[in-house]
Amino acid sequence: DGGITQSPKYLFRKEGQNVTLSCEQNLNHDAMYWYRQDPGQGLRLIYYSQIVNDFQKGDIAEGYSVSREKKESFPLTVTSAQKNPTAFYLCASSKDRGNTDTQYFGPGTRLTVL
Amino acid sequence: RKEVEQDPGPFNVPEGATVAFNCTYSNSASQSFFWYRQDCRKEPKLLMSVYSSGNEDGRFTAQLNRASQYISLLIRDSKLSDSATYLCVVSSLTGNQFYFGTGTSLTVIP
């Protein structure tokens, strides 16, 4: 089946630890995105990538890092520098870069910092 | 000022009712507009794109008013399964970023 997968579905982390969230897509989409969603708030953009080996910061990139070594994969690392990492993390992709194509979302990862 | 603003609701309506949501956006140069649906603790899913001429998909009608910078979603003959949060999404000027509203919560009551 074509789609976007994220793993794990639930993740628990101790304070001070880095953790990496996986996002994979087999849709052959050029662009990929990471958002976080907090209760009562809209999705906020962390990072996005329009092409392999290139990515840009979104509105709330501090404390996060990404890589885009393969077209299919866009992992997000939540570092210990992120002050309030507990949130619902959503990965998305869209077919073309630099235009307004529809975004499709993965099922998300719920990160809880203990 | 937020890029996109929505009334959070909640909207509680009986089955069969017609309900409308509005969403305003701040950047007059925004290019594309969408409505997404998000069920509790799930990912957003595309409901429909919003075109300048307005568009309809079954019981759902979306409209865009560029002069007043708002988009709307009308749901006719509400079903229990329509209960969800509806997110308004607007693209950036360059088209490579999307801005999400906080969502409007709808509960359809039997």
Side-chain angles (χ1 to χ4, degrees), chain A residues 37-80:
Chain A
Q37 187 176 34
D38 296 278
Q41 297 196 40
L43 276 67
R44 292 183 290 167
L45 182 65
I46 304 171
Y47 270 98
Y48 65 99
S49 168
Q50 296 176 294
I51 195 169
V52 174
N53 291 323
D54 187 46
F55 48 83
Q56 286 79 41
K57 293 181 179 180
D59 299 319
I60 54 165
E62 185 175 351
Y64 300 97
S65 65
V66 293
S67 62
R68 187 88 186 275
E69 297 176 1
K70 298 186 299 182
K71 187 175 185 178
E72 310 81 52
S73 179
F74 191 40
L76 173 74
T77 296
V78 184
T79 75
S80 56

Tab-separated table of all heavy atoms in Angstrom, chain A residues 37-80:
chain	number	residue	atom	x	y	z
A	37	GLN	N	1.703	19.195	17.162
A	37	GLN	CA	0.369	19.647	17.534
A	37	GLN	C	0.235	19.536	19.040
A	37	GLN	O	0.475	18.478	19.618
A	37	GLN	CB	-0.707	18.815	16.834
A	37	GLN	CG	-2.120	19.338	17.044
A	37	GLN	CD	-3.163	18.560	16.266
A	37	GLN	OE1	-3.040	17.345	16.066
A	37	GLN	NE2	-4.188	19.244	15.787
A	38	ASP	N	-0.156	20.635	19.648
A	38	ASP	CA	-0.415	20.680	21.069
A	38	ASP	C	-1.906	20.904	21.291
A	38	ASP	O	-2.567	21.500	20.432
A	38	ASP	CB	0.401	21.804	21.716
A	38	ASP	CG	1.888	21.569	21.605
A	38	ASP	OD1	2.404	20.805	22.435
A	38	ASP	OD2	2.520	22.106	20.676
A	39	PRO	N	-2.429	20.459	22.421
A	39	PRO	CA	-3.876	20.608	22.673
A	39	PRO	C	-4.323	22.052	22.513
A	39	PRO	O	-3.694	22.973	23.040
A	39	PRO	CB	-4.017	20.134	24.122
A	39	PRO	CG	-2.864	19.205	24.338
A	39	PRO	CD	-1.745	19.757	23.533
A	40	GLY	N	-5.395	22.251	21.761
A	40	GLY	CA	-5.958	23.583	21.582
A	40	GLY	C	-5.176	24.475	20.628
A	40	GLY	O	-5.510	25.649	20.478
A	41	GLN	N	-4.170	23.908	19.997
A	41	GLN	CA	-3.381	24.698	19.057
A	41	GLN	C	-3.392	24.042	17.686
A	41	GLN	O	-3.582	22.847	17.547
A	41	GLN	CB	-1.940	24.821	19.539
A	41	GLN	CG	-1.794	25.557	20.849
A	41	GLN	CD	-0.360	25.989	21.100
A	41	GLN	OE1	0.330	26.433	20.172
A	41	GLN	NE2	0.078	25.891	22.330
A	42	GLY	N	-3.165	24.876	16.698
A	42	GLY	CA	-3.047	24.335	15.352
A	42	GLY	C	-1.699	23.670	15.161
A	42	GLY	O	-0.820	23.742	16.018
A	43	LEU	N	-1.546	23.015	14.013
A	43	LEU	CA	-0.268	22.404	13.688
A	43	LEU	C	0.774	23.499	13.456
A	43	LEU	O	0.503	24.498	12.782
A	43	LEU	CB	-0.396	21.563	12.420
A	43	LEU	CG	-0.922	20.141	12.579
A	43	LEU	CD1	-2.374	20.126	13.006
A	43	LEU	CD2	-0.736	19.370	11.280
A	44	ARG	N	1.954	23.283	14.003
A	44	ARG	CA	3.034	24.250	13.807
A	44	ARG	C	4.191	23.558	13.103
A	44	ARG	O	4.604	22.467	13.485
A	44	ARG	CB	3.474	24.823	15.153
A	44	ARG	CG	2.413	25.708	15.799
A	44	ARG	CD	2.925	26.313	17.097
A	44	ARG	NE	3.072	25.316	18.146
A	44	ARG	CZ	3.731	25.535	19.277
A	44	ARG	NH1	4.336	26.688	19.486
A	44	ARG	NH2	3.801	24.577	20.184
A	45	LEU	N	4.732	24.230	12.101
A	45	LEU	CA	5.760	23.652	11.250
A	45	LEU	C	7.124	23.695	11.933
A	45	LEU	O	7.580	24.753	12.373
A	45	LEU	CB	5.814	24.409	9.922
A	45	LEU	CG	6.803	23.899	8.890
A	45	LEU	CD1	6.415	22.497	8.415
A	45	LEU	CD2	6.860	24.873	7.713
A	46	ILE	N	7.782	22.528	11.967
A	46	ILE	CA	9.103	22.434	12.586
A	46	ILE	C	10.192	22.568	11.511
A	46	ILE	O	11.057	23.426	11.583
A	46	ILE	CB	9.258	21.102	13.335
A	46	ILE	CG1	8.150	20.930	14.377
A	46	ILE	CG2	10.621	21.018	14.013
A	46	ILE	CD1	8.110	19.545	15.014
A	47	TYR	N	10.152	21.678	10.552
A	47	TYR	CA	11.088	21.670	9.418
A	47	TYR	C	10.363	21.184	8.183
A	47	TYR	O	9.366	20.459	8.280
A	47	TYR	CB	12.259	20.710	9.689
A	47	TYR	CG	13.466	21.303	10.365
A	47	TYR	CD1	13.637	21.166	11.737
A	47	TYR	CD2	14.440	21.976	9.643
A	47	TYR	CE1	14.754	21.692	12.373
A	47	TYR	CE2	15.558	22.504	10.264
A	47	TYR	CZ	15.715	22.356	11.637
A	47	TYR	OH	16.826	22.880	12.259
A	48	TYR	N	10.890	21.567	7.020
A	48	TYR	CA	10.399	20.978	5.795
A	48	TYR	C	11.558	20.795	4.819
A	48	TYR	O	12.595	21.449	4.922
A	48	TYR	CB	9.259	21.794	5.171
A	48	TYR	CG	9.627	23.178	4.685
A	48	TYR	CD1	9.898	23.436	3.344
A	48	TYR	CD2	9.665	24.249	5.576
A	48	TYR	CE1	10.205	24.705	2.898
A	48	TYR	CE2	9.977	25.531	5.142
A	48	TYR	CZ	10.238	25.761	3.812
A	48	TYR	OH	10.543	27.025	3.372
A	49	SER	N	11.330	19.878	3.900
A	49	SER	CA	12.349	19.555	2.909
A	49	SER	C	11.665	19.427	1.549
A	49	SER	O	10.675	18.725	1.410
A	49	SER	CB	13.033	18.235	3.270
A	49	SER	OG	13.828	17.777	2.193
A	50	GLN	N	12.216	20.123	0.577
A	50	GLN	CA	11.618	20.088	-0.754
A	50	GLN	C	12.376	19.186	-1.707
A	50	GLN	O	11.889	18.889	-2.811
A	50	GLN	CB	11.532	21.496	-1.313
A	50	GLN	CG	10.609	22.392	-0.489
A	50	GLN	CD	10.602	23.821	-1.005
A	50	GLN	OE1	11.592	24.517	-0.948
A	50	GLN	NE2	9.462	24.233	-1.518
A	51	ILE	N	13.584	18.768	-1.289
A	51	ILE	CA	14.411	17.934	-2.151
A	51	ILE	C	15.440	17.228	-1.279
A	51	ILE	O	15.772	17.717	-0.183
A	51	ILE	CB	15.082	18.791	-3.245
A	51	ILE	CG1	15.643	17.920	-4.365
A	51	ILE	CG2	16.129	19.703	-2.649
A	51	ILE	CD1	16.081	18.707	-5.571
A	52	VAL	N	15.933	16.120	-1.752
A	52	VAL	CA	16.940	15.370	-0.990
A	52	VAL	C	18.144	16.251	-0.684
A	52	VAL	O	18.555	17.091	-1.490
A	52	VAL	CB	17.362	14.116	-1.791
A	52	VAL	CG1	18.513	13.396	-1.100
A	52	VAL	CG2	16.194	13.175	-1.963
A	53	ASN	N	18.670	16.066	0.522
A	53	ASN	CA	19.858	16.783	0.996
A	53	ASN	C	19.646	18.277	1.169
A	53	ASN	O	20.617	19.052	1.193
A	53	ASN	CB	21.065	16.524	0.083
A	53	ASN	CG	21.566	15.106	0.179
A	53	ASN	OD1	21.564	14.502	1.259
A	53	ASN	ND2	21.975	14.554	-0.948
A	54	ASP	N	18.399	18.669	1.300
A	54	ASP	CA	18.098	20.072	1.556
A	54	ASP	C	16.883	20.166	2.457
A	54	ASP	O	15.914	19.419	2.272
A	54	ASP	CB	17.849	20.814	0.249
A	54	ASP	CG	17.705	22.309	0.473
A	54	ASP	OD1	18.538	22.886	1.210
A	54	ASP	OD2	16.765	22.900	-0.068
A	55	PHE	N	16.911	21.073	3.427
A	55	PHE	CA	15.761	21.279	4.293
A	55	PHE	C	15.823	22.698	4.863
A	55	PHE	O	16.891	23.327	4.892
A	55	PHE	CB	15.710	20.238	5.416
A	55	PHE	CG	17.006	20.031	6.148
A	55	PHE	CD1	17.396	20.869	7.182
A	55	PHE	CD2	17.834	18.966	5.803
A	55	PHE	CE1	18.591	20.663	7.856
A	55	PHE	CE2	19.031	18.747	6.478
A	55	PHE	CZ	19.411	19.606	7.506
A	56	GLN	N	14.665	23.180	5.285
A	56	GLN	CA	14.557	24.532	5.820
A	56	GLN	C	13.845	24.504	7.164
A	56	GLN	O	12.985	23.661	7.411
A	56	GLN	CB	13.757	25.446	4.874
A	56	GLN	CG	14.505	25.868	3.624
A	56	GLN	CD	14.514	24.772	2.582
A	56	GLN	OE1	13.512	24.104	2.378
A	56	GLN	NE2	15.639	24.589	1.925
A	57	LYS	N	14.189	25.471	8.001
A	57	LYS	CA	13.520	25.604	9.282
A	57	LYS	C	12.112	26.140	9.087
A	57	LYS	O	11.868	26.998	8.240
A	57	LYS	CB	14.302	26.560	10.189
A	57	LYS	CG	15.661	26.040	10.622
A	57	LYS	CD	16.347	27.043	11.539
A	57	LYS	CE	17.701	26.504	11.995
A	57	LYS	NZ	18.393	27.470	12.894
A	58	GLY	N	11.231	25.624	9.926
A	58	GLY	CA	9.884	26.168	9.988
A	58	GLY	C	9.799	27.194	11.096
A	58	GLY	O	10.788	27.823	11.475
A	59	ASP	N	8.612	27.318	11.663
A	59	ASP	CA	8.373	28.357	12.659
A	59	ASP	C	8.933	28.036	14.040
A	59	ASP	O	9.186	28.935	14.837
A	59	ASP	CB	6.865	28.603	12.789
A	59	ASP	CG	6.267	29.077	11.471
A	59	ASP	OD1	6.901	29.900	10.790
A	59	ASP	OD2	5.155	28.612	11.120
A	60	ILE	N	9.127	26.737	14.330
A	60	ILE	CA	9.541	26.353	15.684
A	60	ILE	C	10.665	25.317	15.636
A	60	ILE	O	10.613	24.281	16.274
A	60	ILE	CB	8.346	25.808	16.499
A	60	ILE	CG1	7.648	24.648	15.754
A	60	ILE	CG2	7.343	26.905	16.800
A	60	ILE	CD1	6.720	23.847	16.643
A	61	ALA	N	11.730	25.606	14.915
A	61	ALA	CA	12.797	24.622	14.691
A	61	ALA	C	13.743	24.447	15.884
A	61	ALA	O	14.482	23.443	15.951
A	61	ALA	CB	13.592	25.017	13.460
A	62	GLU	N	13.745	25.378	16.805
A	62	GLU	CA	14.713	25.314	17.900
A	62	GLU	C	14.548	24.044	18.725
A	62	GLU	O	13.443	23.729	19.187
A	62	GLU	CB	14.579	26.533	18.808
A	62	GLU	CG	15.638	26.583	19.895
A	62	GLU	CD	15.577	27.857	20.726
A	62	GLU	OE1	14.816	28.762	20.338
A	62	GLU	OE2	16.259	27.918	21.751
A	63	GLY	N	15.657	23.315	18.930
A	63	GLY	CA	15.611	22.094	19.710
A	63	GLY	C	15.334	20.852	18.886
A	63	GLY	O	15.228	19.754	19.437
A	64	TYR	N	15.222	21.021	17.579
A	64	TYR	CA	14.973	19.908	16.664
A	64	TYR	C	16.044	19.869	15.583
A	64	TYR	O	16.658	20.880	15.269
A	64	TYR	CB	13.612	20.056	15.977
A	64	TYR	CG	12.431	20.090	16.899
A	64	TYR	CD1	11.865	21.313	17.292
A	64	TYR	CD2	11.849	18.910	17.363
A	64	TYR	CE1	10.762	21.344	18.133
A	64	TYR	CE2	10.742	18.943	18.199
A	64	TYR	CZ	10.208	20.158	18.577
A	64	TYR	OH	9.119	20.188	19.407
A	65	SER	N	16.242	18.678	15.016
A	65	SER	CA	17.100	18.560	13.839
A	65	SER	C	16.520	17.501	12.913
A	65	SER	O	15.769	16.619	13.350
A	65	SER	CB	18.539	18.192	14.224
A	65	SER	OG	18.591	16.906	14.807
A	66	VAL	N	16.841	17.615	11.633
A	66	VAL	CA	16.340	16.679	10.626
A	66	VAL	C	17.460	16.327	9.655
A	66	VAL	O	18.509	16.965	9.625
A	66	VAL	CB	15.149	17.262	9.827
A	66	VAL	CG1	13.922	17.456	10.701
A	66	VAL	CG2	15.555	18.560	9.135
A	67	SER	N	17.193	15.321	8.856
A	67	SER	CA	18.067	14.987	7.735
A	67	SER	C	17.189	14.497	6.597
A	67	SER	O	16.068	14.020	6.815
A	67	SER	CB	19.080	13.909	8.129
A	67	SER	OG	18.422	12.704	8.486
A	68	ARG	N	17.709	14.616	5.363
A	68	ARG	CA	16.965	14.114	4.206
A	68	ARG	C	17.977	13.497	3.252
A	68	ARG	O	18.300	14.032	2.202
A	68	ARG	CB	16.202	15.247	3.523
A	68	ARG	CG	15.274	14.742	2.411
A	68	ARG	CD	13.937	14.371	2.859
A	68	ARG	NE	13.097	13.762	1.858
A	68	ARG	CZ	12.346	14.431	0.969
A	68	ARG	NH1	12.382	15.762	0.950
A	68	ARG	NH2	11.599	13.776	0.124
A	69	GLU	N	18.450	12.339	3.656
A	69	GLU	CA	19.455	11.635	2.858
A	69	GLU	C	18.825	10.823	1.738
A	69	GLU	O	19.470	10.509	0.729
A	69	GLU	CB	20.304	10.751	3.758
A	69	GLU	CG	21.111	11.535	4.794
A	69	GLU	CD	21.883	10.630	5.749
A	69	GLU	OE1	21.806	9.399	5.581
A	69	GLU	OE2	22.540	11.157	6.651
A	70	LYS	N	17.572	10.443	1.930
A	70	LYS	CA	16.840	9.696	0.902
A	70	LYS	C	15.496	10.367	0.667
A	70	LYS	O	14.919	10.957	1.582
A	70	LYS	CB	16.602	8.256	1.368
A	70	LYS	CG	17.852	7.454	1.609
A	70	LYS	CD	17.515	6.000	1.921
A	70	LYS	CE	16.674	5.873	3.173
A	70	LYS	NZ	16.381	4.447	3.510
A	71	LYS	N	14.997	10.219	-0.531
A	71	LYS	CA	13.716	10.843	-0.870
A	71	LYS	C	12.597	10.317	0.019
A	71	LYS	O	11.675	11.033	0.366
A	71	LYS	CB	13.395	10.569	-2.339
A	71	LYS	CG	12.177	11.296	-2.875
A	71	LYS	CD	12.019	11.042	-4.356
A	71	LYS	CE	10.874	11.857	-4.928
A	71	LYS	NZ	10.736	11.662	-6.390
A	72	GLU	N	12.673	9.034	0.382
A	72	GLU	CA	11.583	8.386	1.097
A	72	GLU	C	11.577	8.686	2.597
A	72	GLU	O	10.596	8.398	3.267
A	72	GLU	CB	11.669	6.864	0.947
A	72	GLU	CG	11.842	6.363	-0.475
A	72	GLU	CD	13.280	6.453	-0.941
A	72	GLU	OE1	14.175	5.964	-0.243
A	72	GLU	OE2	13.485	7.043	-2.027
A	73	SER	N	12.667	9.217	3.130
A	73	SER	CA	12.821	9.263	4.573
A	73	SER	C	13.148	10.667	5.074
A	73	SER	O	13.989	11.366	4.488
A	73	SER	CB	13.944	8.292	4.963
A	73	SER	OG	14.162	8.318	6.347
A	74	PHE	N	12.526	11.044	6.179
A	74	PHE	CA	12.746	12.389	6.741
A	74	PHE	C	12.673	12.290	8.261
A	74	PHE	O	11.702	12.718	8.889
A	74	PHE	CB	11.684	13.347	6.189
A	74	PHE	CG	11.926	14.804	6.459
A	74	PHE	CD1	13.193	15.367	6.386
A	74	PHE	CD2	10.859	15.643	6.747
A	74	PHE	CE1	13.404	16.715	6.614
A	74	PHE	CE2	11.052	17.005	6.983
A	74	PHE	CZ	12.325	17.533	6.918
A	75	PRO	N	13.686	11.737	8.909
A	75	PRO	CA	13.635	11.563	10.368
A	75	PRO	C	13.811	12.882	11.116
A	75	PRO	O	14.535	13.772	10.676
A	75	PRO	CB	14.809	10.618	10.646
A	75	PRO	CG	15.738	10.823	9.501
A	75	PRO	CD	14.889	11.148	8.311
A	76	LEU	N	13.149	12.956	12.248
A	76	LEU	CA	13.205	14.133	13.112
A	76	LEU	C	13.825	13.745	14.446
A	76	LEU	O	13.382	12.787	15.075
A	76	LEU	CB	11.790	14.672	13.359
A	76	LEU	CG	11.655	15.806	14.375
A	76	LEU	CD1	12.159	17.116	13.796
A	76	LEU	CD2	10.189	15.966	14.824
A	77	THR	N	14.850	14.486	14.867
A	77	THR	CA	15.443	14.268	16.183
A	77	THR	C	15.006	15.385	17.121
A	77	THR	O	15.154	16.572	16.802
A	77	THR	CB	16.985	14.216	16.097
A	77	THR	OG1	17.359	13.080	15.311
A	77	THR	CG2	17.597	14.076	17.492
A	78	VAL	N	14.456	14.973	18.233
A	78	VAL	CA	14.076	15.910	19.282
A	78	VAL	C	15.222	15.911	20.278
A	78	VAL	O	15.505	14.893	20.919
A	78	VAL	CB	12.762	15.484	19.965
A	78	VAL	CG1	12.330	16.522	20.976
A	78	VAL	CG2	11.669	15.251	18.923
A	79	THR	N	15.898	17.009	20.382
A	79	THR	CA	17.081	17.049	21.238
A	79	THR	C	16.725	17.498	22.649
A	79	THR	O	15.616	18.005	22.904
A	79	THR	CB	18.145	17.996	20.657
A	79	THR	OG1	17.728	19.343	20.886
A	79	THR	CG2	18.354	17.760	19.166
A	80	SER	N	17.683	17.369	23.528
A	80	SER	CA	17.478	17.775	24.915
A	80	SER	C	17.328	19.292	25.036
A	80	SER	O	16.883	19.804	26.067
A	80	SER	CB	18.638	17.294	25.786
A	80	SER	OG	19.861	17.784	25.272
